[in-house]
Amino acid sequence: EFLVLERDNKKDKDCLVRKIVQIDLREATDISGVEMLPPTALPKSIRPVGRKTFLDLLEPRFRTAVEESPKFEGLAFGPDLPDGRRLLLVTVDNDFHAHVPTRIFAFGIDRADLPTFRPQEFDRPFAANKAE
């Protein structure tokens, strides 16, 4: 299972899709050997990933953030919050425009909303993963 960003290419108040979608690969067809899929409907032999909206960033409670920063581009989990919720960080960069702020939005996610969550583990400390 993964959380992924889904958005259209519209700007500001014209945007129609700004979501964090939860996808599940378990029942999906492995298409790694398929050279090209058709541009429209999938063949009946191919089963897509399971998907459901995890967080719709166009909900009224998030609308101001979307209007100020419509191009969500990154997701990461931070350390767990003191109340036990998971910290989900959503980033918006400034496309190298000095007058535009880079923003980081923080969401507290109840553990029950991600019951299969497992933090990614590394064989060695992250800093040691730099090219030697």
Side-chain angles (χ1 to χ4, degrees):
E1 293 180 329
F2 297 92
L3 293 181
V4 297
L5 287 167
E6 180 179 279
R7 64 182 170 99
D8 57 23
N9 64 356
K10 300 193 183 321
K11 296 183 182 203
D12 304 321
K13 296 178 183 178
D14 294 329
C15 63
L16 301 172
V17 178
R18 294 292 184 275
K19 295 179 182 179
I20 298 173
V21 177
Q22 187 173 6
I23 64 169
D24 186 338
L25 303 178
R26 288 178 286 209
E27 301 295 322
T29 303
D30 178 356
I31 60 166
S32 59
V34 176
E35 188 172 324
M36 184 177 3
L37 292 171
T40 55
L42 288 176
K44 292 191 185 299
S45 62
I46 295 180
R47 193 173 358 188
V49 299
R51 65 182 305 280
K52 65 180 180 180
T53 298
F54 182 74
L55 195 60
D56 186 345
L57 297 169
L58 291 181
E59 288 181 15
R61 62 186 170 149
F62 304 129
R63 190 67 196 199
T64 300
V66 171
E67 288 172 358
E68 291 178 7
S69 303
K71 220 169 76 167
F72 296 99
E73 297 179 303
L75 292 173
F77 282 100
D80 288 345
L81 297 169
D83 65 4
R85 292 179 299 159
R86 306 261 185 223
L87 174 60
L88 179 63
L89 302 169
V90 181
T91 62
V92 179
D93 70 25
N94 66 0
D95 290 333
F96 302 104
H97 298 290
H99 64 282
V100 177
T102 293
R103 298 180 191 266
I104 300 173
F105 297 92
F107 297 91
I109 307 297
D110 289 327
R111 287 177 177 263
D113 292 335
L114 289 173
T116 60
F117 175 85
R118 281 191 344 249
Q120 187 172 9
E121 296 179 17
F122 296 96
D123 292 337
R124 53 190 175 155
F126 184 72
N129 286 332
K130 293 180 181 176
E132 298 174 12

